[in-house]
Amino acid sequence: MTEKKKSVLTWGVLGAIVVAGVLAGRCAPSGPKGKKAPAASSDIAVAAQKTYVAPGDLDEYYFFASGGHSGQMYVYGVPSMRHLSTIPVFTPYPATGYGFDDESKAMLNGLTWGDAHHPAPSETAGDYDGRWLFINDMNGRIARIDLRDFKTKQILGPVANVSGNHSGAYVTPNTEYAMMGSRFSAPVPKTNAVGIDKYASEYKGILAAIRIDPKSGEMSLGWEIVTPPFNWDLGDAGKKVSEGWMFWTCYNSERATGKLEVTASQADRDYIAAVDWKAAEKAVAEGKGEMMGGVKVLDPRKVPGLMYLMPCGKSPHGVDVSPDGKYIIGSGKLQGVTTAFNFEKVQTAIRNKDFSGEEDGIPVLKYESIKDAEVEVGLGPLHTQFDGDGYAYTSLFVDSAIAKWKLGTWEVVDKIPMSYSIGHLCAAEGDTVSPDGKYLVGLNKLSHGRHLSVGPSQPESSQLVDISEEKMKLLYDAFTEPEPHYAVMIKADKLKPIEVYPKEENKHPLAIWDVKDAGVTRTGTEVLAKVVLVRSTITPEYIEVNQGDTVKIAMTNIEQTTDELHGWGLLDYNINIVVDPGETKVVTFKADKPGVFAYYCTNFCSALHQEMQGYLVVKPKG
Ligand code: K7E
Ligand code: CUA
């Protein structure tokens, strides 16, 4: 290869990073396209080297991004920002057959979408332990993904009384609880259809805790707290010195209805709720909760010490607890500062009854007494993440930038523009007791022409930032499907996913491991077909039933080889199953359409994949 060709090739590789723009000037989203200031080529070369993961090499981190209203979870590698996998959670996903087989269909329970915002890995002593990943759905649900196989294992909810569960799924430092909350206060119970004119008095906010079994990860209803009709927005669990407490932000403490962008911004301050969850546990154990919709609901008026309100800049969004648990960071999202509240001062104010008022009997702590600093981060602070060196990183929606500042000295030391309009941000293990620093991803709401046009439905942009040095440096632009809100970054070596389901672990009652056990049995109008999937045959290759029969197909992929998935797609019946190696899946349906219908393996598995097919014959009724 000539030198010239080589350099052209190198620049081809680097081109992708050029687009990322180490430049990223603060061009307004409406600015002219394709006119970007040239970056210094040395910066580009450094960025390229830092993000380039050579063929065969592996990324250093897993990056789990919520899929927003796609209802899914996207998995990327960092620093390459390559999309590795999509984990369907609240939405059927034909690629993995999710939502088609009996089990996943039952889990979705008729709902075909969700709005998933905040993933939360399980923690032990405040650190990611690599076992599970929880994620909220606005529709009052929470899901658990098992990180052993990257599959959704449980969906809990819709949980009674919760309306618009935005403020989850933050978990406590030893995964005792995940959090929930009502963004849209409603009558409790919701079936009590009181008119909106009674909003201020009859509508109620709900904060909720979902119990997690420490061995199995199984979620169950914990308890709820009934609150004034605020809009509970985000949450975080206390850690270390603040362990045992949960925090939630709210907007609209005005209890207004209609034109909220104006009416809910009248007061100077809204609140961060501070809830002593150990006190909640105790109160529930003492029988102080009232059973409503199958869950114990606590009234803070009847449980003194349960809940306090910390005044915060108006209309706050995120609330984030520092790695040592000392500071609670909350920002009015219309302001230019973020407040660092001091947990010890909160405790002192509680002891001294240093209150400035109350809301329906819930004491409001005095702002001046509990804050340590107002940090001048810039306009529109939303969310904060941390590194291991005592720095905090706050996303600025209005400024479209990230501010880096020091905990304790409150000095803003650096800023980097984001393209464009950053929402959440995610640092490596940046919400744990021991953040890694290194990488930070800005989860931007707009991508705005920094990619080939794909029509009006544009992707979002996620920008990778190097935070290993004093100055933040933009490394890479990745484009993602809508819509990551929050994401978490986990050190890759913490996860040890399996690649096949070991045969000896498959305890499914309908599993078979030998083609001679495959076949069809009938009990009245119920037909059971035990099916073996293995390269390159579906056994049996012919299934005959009568119109009106209930047909149950139990298929086992008897492969024990990595990546040897098989599918079972049944034409005209809208059935699409994908079975991983060593797995058994069941689908039950009514054979209501007479005729001959082909089924075939949908997942390319061998040179003779095309031959992996069969027929379902449905004989018409007499
Ligand atoms: Cu988009 Cu956490 Cu739902 Cu902030 S949330 S940006
Ligand atoms: Cu099995 Cu394709």
Side-chain angles (χ1 to χ4, degrees):
M1 194 186 280
T2 67
E3 266 317 295
K4 189 165 174 224
K5 260 195 193 145
K6 215 183 205 165
S7 92
V8 166
L9 196 73
T10 309
W11 281 99
V13 172
L14 296 181
I17 290 98
V18 177
V19 179
V22 179
L23 37 137
R26 261 201 60 198
C27 18
S30 52
K33 287 182 187 176
K35 284 194 185 138
K36 288 165 187 137
S41 56
S42 61
D43 286 352
I44 295 168
V46 170
Q49 233 172 22
K50 287 199 168 175
T51 55
Y52 185 67
V53 176
D57 282 356
L58 302 179
D59 279 298
E60 200 180 338
Y61 286 90
Y62 283 100
F63 182 74
F64 294 94
S66 72
H69 49 287
S70 81
Q72 298 167 334
M73 180 93 80
Y74 306 126
V75 188
Y76 298 81
V78 169
S80 75
M81 296 305 286
R82 291 184 294 212
H83 176 229
L84 304 175
S85 165
T86 294
I87 305 171
V89 185
F90 297 112
T91 304
Y93 190 49
T96 63
Y98 184 78
F100 290 85
D101 65 292
D102 290 358
E103 205 179 326
S104 57
K105 211 169 160 179
M107 216 158 38
L108 290 173
N109 198 18
L111 298 174
T112 54
W113 78 288
D115 191 355
H117 285 225
H118 308 114
S122 56
E123 296 180 9
T124 300
D127 246 325
Y128 299 155
D129 59 25
R131 295 192 291 167
W132 312 298
L133 192 52
F134 300 87
I135 187 157
N136 74 312
D137 166 32
M138 282 292 288
N139 193 19
R141 293 181 294 173
I142 175 167
R144 183 184 80 251
I145 293 163
D146 195 331
L147 291 175
R148 184 174 180 252
D149 60 1
F150 284 44
K151 296 275 164 67
T152 303
K153 292 294 163 64
Q154 188 192 1
I155 295 176
L156 182 81
V159 168
N161 311 324
V162 173
S163 167
N165 172 37
H166 189 255
S167 52
Y170 302 92
V171 303
T172 51
N174 285 298
T175 322
E176 298 94 338
Y177 291 103
M179 296 160 68
M180 271 197 175
S182 289
R183 199 172 113 201
F184 313 121
S185 287
V188 174
K190 279 184 264 182
T191 45
N192 184 12
V194 185
I196 194 85
D197 53 313
K198 301 251 172 56
Y199 183 86
S201 56
E202 302 288 304
Y203 283 46
K204 298 291 170 205
I206 290 285
L207 298 174
I210 302 302
R211 188 173 293 120
I212 299 166
D213 183 278
K215 288 252 151 55
S216 65
E218 192 75 9
M219 301 176 288
S220 58
L221 294 175
W223 37 265
E224 295 181 354
I225 299 173
V226 65
T227 78
F230 303 158
N231 294 49
W232 295 109
D233 201 19
L234 278 154
D236 201 8
K239 46 176 92 107
K240 292 208 161 165
V241 295
S242 52
E243 185 166 352
W245 289 74
M246 292 180 184
F247 303 94
W248 279 273
T249 52
C250 76
Y251 56 96
N252 192 21
S253 59
E254 291 86 348
R255 314 182 191 201
T257 55
K259 292 243 175 267
L260 284 191
E261 74 274 24
V262 181
T263 56
S265 299
Q266 301 169 84
D268 276 345
R269 301 212 177 281
D270 283 297
Y271 301 113
I272 296 173
V275 169
D276 180 345
W277 62 260
K278 298 209 165 147
E281 268 186 339
K282 192 160 158 270
V284 168
E286 288 167 357
K288 287 187 182 146
E290 192 188 332
M291 199 61 133
M292 291 167 94
V295 54
K296 291 258 175 68
V297 182
L298 294 166
D299 181 342
R301 271 177 292 213
K302 296 181 189 151
V303 189
L306 173 68
M307 175 174 176
Y308 299 89
L309 295 169
M310 303 160 52
C312 174
K314 74 168 118 180
S315 306
H317 191 48
V319 52
D320 297 284
V321 179
S322 63
D324 55 12
K326 279 189 191 166
Y327 303 109
I328 300 131
I329 315 299
S331 313
K333 64 177 175 267
L334 310 171
Q335 297 180 320
V337 296
T338 191
T339 303
F341 296 93
N342 184 319
F343 182 73
E344 293 217 338
K345 289 186 178 176
V346 169
Q347 294 305 303
T348 307
I350 290 172
R351 271 197 304 276
N352 297 342
K353 299 204 175 354
D354 193 1
F355 304 145
S356 60
E358 51 96 25
E359 293 270 6
D360 296 1
I362 306 163
V364 177
L365 302 169
K366 206 178 278 163
Y367 178 76
E368 289 302 328
S369 305
I370 58 174
K371 74 134 210 270
D372 249 11
E374 288 180 348
V375 187
E376 301 203 355
V377 286
L379 274 185
L382 292 186
H383 300 283
T384 298
Q385 290 270 288
F386 305 93
D387 69 13
D389 299 321
Y391 289 96
Y393 300 80
T394 299
S395 60
L396 307 168
F397 181 81
V398 179
D399 273 352
S400 191
I402 296 171
K404 174 181 179 179
W405 52 279
K406 183 96 184 159
L407 290 159
T409 70
W410 320 119
E411 183 196 355
V412 177
V413 297
D414 192 25
K415 267 193 200 185
I416 188 167
M418 285 283 104
S419 309
Y420 303 92
S421 302
I422 182 172
H424 272 276
L425 71 181
C426 164
E429 311 213 346
D431 61 6
T432 69
V433 295
S434 59
D436 287 4
K438 279 193 151 172
Y439 300 112
L440 176 69
V441 175
L443 297 150
N444 306 321
K445 296 302 179 191
L446 304 172
S447 54
H448 218 91
R450 287 171 71 93
H451 49 79
L452 288 177
S453 175
V454 288
S457 282
Q458 299 200 8
E460 317 296 345
S461 102
S462 293
Q463 290 182 299
L464 180 68
V465 177
D466 180 359
I467 55 166
S468 61
E469 286 163 35
E470 204 182 322
K471 286 262 168 213
M472 295 180 279
K473 288 203 187 75
L474 182 61
L475 297 176
Y476 194 72
D477 274 20
F479 299 100
T480 68
E481 285 190 57
E483 164 174 7
H485 289 261
Y486 190 36
V488 289
M489 213 189 293
I490 307 179
K491 195 82 199 296
D493 60 18
K494 282 196 177 168
L495 305 191
K496 304 262 178 306
I498 54 166
E499 295 192 353
V500 300
Y501 290 100
K503 180 182 171 184
E504 57 279 8
E505 282 182 24
N506 183 331
K507 302 278 189 278
H508 200 289
L510 297 176
I512 50 169
W513 297 92
D514 195 316
V515 288
K516 67 178 193 307
D517 297 324
V520 180
T521 51
R522 166 181 292 278
T523 320
T525 57
E526 296 193 354
V527 175
L528 170 66
K530 289 190 186 172
V531 170
V532 165
L533 304 171
V534 69
R535 280 164 287 174
S536 298
T537 314
I538 300 175
T539 313
E541 292 179 286
Y542 176 73
I543 299 172
E544 193 181 296
V545 303
N546 299 322
Q547 186 180 6
D549 282 347
T550 300
V551 180
K552 189 189 279 286
I553 313 272
M555 49 203 103
T556 303
N557 176 349
I558 67 171
E559 307 268 2
Q560 291 285 281
T561 310
T562 184
D563 227 353
E564 282 300 339
L565 286 68
H566 298 290
W568 194 85
L570 178 61
L571 300 177
D572 293 290
Y573 268 85
N574 194 38
I575 289 174
N576 161 56
I577 310 295
V578 178
V579 193
D580 293 352
E583 191 182 31
T584 300
K585 275 188 180 170
V586 178
V587 61
T588 309
F589 60 97
K590 196 142 192 117
D592 47 11
K593 264 182 288 206
V596 175
F597 307 96
Y599 52 80
Y600 70 105
C601 175
T602 48
N603 210 297
F604 207 105
C605 51
S606 74
L608 297 172
H609 155 82
Q610 290 306 85
E611 282 74 359
M612 208 167 161
Q613 62 175 58
Y615 289 101
L616 171 75
V617 176
V618 182
K619 295 206 151 161
K621 262 196 197 121

